[in-house]
Amino acid sequence: MKINGSSRKKVRFFFSGSNPLVFRFKMAHKIKGIRERLDDISALKDEFNLAAQLEDRNSTVNRRDMTHSFVPSQNVIGRNDDKEKIMDLLMQLDASRNVSVIPIVGIGGLGKTTLAKLVYNDEQVVSHFQQLRMWVCVSEDFDVTRLIKEILKSAKVPVDENLGIDQWQNSLRGLLKDKKFLLVLDDVWNDDRNKWMELEDLLLGGCNGSNIIVTTRNSSVATIMGTAAPYNLEGLPEENCMSLFVKLAFKEREEEQYPNLLNIGREIVKKCKGVPLAVRTLAGPLYSKIDENEWISIRDNEIWNLEQKEGGILPALKLSYNQLPFHLKQCFAYCSVFPKDYDFNNVRLIQFWLAHEILQSPKDKNVELEDVGDLYIKELLSRSFFQDFSQEEFVPVYTFKMHDLIHDLALLIAKGECSVVTKKSTLAAEVCHLSFLENGQEVTTQLEKLSKVQTIIFKTEQLASLLEACIARFKYLRVLDLSNSSFEVLPSSIGSLKHLRYLDLSGNNIIKQLPDSICKLHNLQTLVLDNCSNLERLPKGIRDIISLRVLSVTTKHTCLLEKAIGCLDSLRHLLIIGCENLKCVFEGMEEGRLTNLRTLVVAECPSLTTLSLSIKHLTTLETLYIGDCEELSLTDKEENQDLKLSLRLLMIEKLPKLEVLPQWLQASANTLQHLVIEDCCNFTALPEWLPHLKSLQTLRIKDCFEFSSLPEGMQDLTTLREIQIRNCEKLSLTDNEENQNLKLSLRLLMIEKLPKLEVLPQWLQASANTLQHLEIGNCCNFTALPEWLSHLKSLQTLIIVNCPVLSSLPEGMQDLTALREFEIWRCPKLSRKCREEVRHKIAHVPKIYFDEYFNEDIGSS
């Protein structure tokens, strides 16, 4: 057979290294070989019981200098209130306890050690613990043997290095025996509870009333060691910081001669955000310098750009960073792409991390990557990298912030990879993550030399041409955040971003359609379209975005079809918000769809009429929130068979057509933990099958004016821990009461605005050993607390507000030995009747609050 020239070339090309098929074939063999060698290494690792660990080669281990116990009190500014609070804790803690542990928690440089020194050296504390005071700097090395020797040395007990640990621990126990002591364990990093327990066992031989003060940056350390609530140290007020700055930057009274420098100093102090070590770091280099330019340079430079000595603020904070495991270092550094004072949202940040594949795959197949991300955030919170945590109860979304100095640390760590883009910024060629704070030609020009960008966040309005240029230039984009933008159309070229994982268009009130090319984004995991009020419909091919895990949508469409969203089998979280025309969701959806959906939120959909037919197939659904849907009853065309739901949380709010709970909820009898019903004006009653909910822990019913009774069998809800009922004017709580066989174990009962309530229900007695918080408010016919109130042996808080006919307190109030807080407000009859008796009835309660009239009444008696 003859082969002509053209064919020969084809054959030669096919077998040559230039042929991509051959190249892939060869590479596949190489990769296979590498994998086999890695498997062999892994097998050897297991054989020799070695652990895999990622190391950050760029980090060097820096240790903090060892601390001592002395500080001149005159050199400390603004910590007297904190000192008094810690001293109060030392003196007031349970004297019956052998050793109490008070943790002081805060970020590096905040002054935890200084505060501990102030307390340690106070004359009153010295007198109180005159038998024995000890100070040990623990640092990263929580070696029990070393710490035993350090404690002995601090107590001036000779340590013979030729002896062993058994003799040393005997010496320690002998030292502490029959003494009331104070021990400061400064700068503790250890979060291994077993190590702490090993040391703690040796510290329990002193007199009752002994105390240990622990300073730490890590709240998990405080949880492990503390017997008292941690004292979370706050930043210094700005005026105190300014006083410290003046003391460090000027010679005595010199500031009066240089008012301009003083004003610049005030602006420098603002950068420090209440952290004394930051003040010291910036003020120290300015001492005795009067050149304004030097002061301005420090004022205008980012802290992370300034040269710092070993004891400076960023080296101090970097100690915390060095202690992080590698995966948390990556996640923390990524946060530098957000601006200072940014309100982080856990769902958003986790999806960002997920987009960049920096979340470690869980070993447990039942654990989702989102759960891993949540653990990362909680760990960074516990280590003081995040702060200002805020979360509404039961809502899976929470917010938090990053201290400005921690943000500076993140910028230092991520320098070159993450940048905030302004007109004056200078971008490194290797930058990967960009956040745009300004627009204009100066911004656009900076992008020309970049090619590795993976994250783009527009924090200000940008031209469509810039977006098109970014899509064309940055083919490896993984995150594109266009929230609150006003693009009329999205370029069809967006479909070329094959690596894109996160796309946010929320808050765009102009865009009407998404390009069909968006459906080519097969790796897209998060698509955020809420508050896109003019979006006419979702693309028909949205089912092709097969990796989608989070979808949030606002649309003018009337129906979200099963053939579209219902086919998104990777979807974990679906939020349908503000869809004014929406009448149906997943119409006709069959079993086997949305098999991974965990959270469903349907809100502000006034035309929505039905949900129940499809919802029963969502077998993995854990959280369901339905609110502000005025045409939705939840019970139309109900079918009971084949119910397989496993809800944990159901929140229903502002459904005026809801009269009873849907039957399909019974399918969650073994899993439902929290049930919340609010502002459903026609909701009449809880179902008789409510006691079948064997896992129910929380029941809240608020602003349901037709709600009239609790079902029989409430006593069978043995897992119920909390009941809150508010503004249900037809409910009395005591109708058809049954006393027998009570099994409730409530911890909290809050009752407000129940005009039919006259006395507390008998079934509350079943919680005599568990109820900790009882609150009754605005119950105009509530007459008396029952005599059996004194049986509530665990009650810690009792609050009664605006019950105008309440006329007596029970005789046995003094038997409520666990009571710590008692409040009475606007109960005039009780005030008059009890003014002679109140002192001896509740004198044992530490915190008593009465309104002014009541206080005046007592004072005149």
Side-chain angles (χ1 to χ4, degrees), residues 673-685:
Q673 297 176 2
H674 309 289
L675 175 59
V676 180
I677 306 166
E678 296 188 7
D679 204 4
C680 296
C681 56
N682 289 304
F683 183 71
T684 57

Side-chain angles (χ1 to χ4, degrees), residues 137 176-177 179 332 748 803:
C137 179
L176 302 181
K177 187 178 179 182
K179 295 188 182 75
F332 167 70
L748 180 146
C803 297

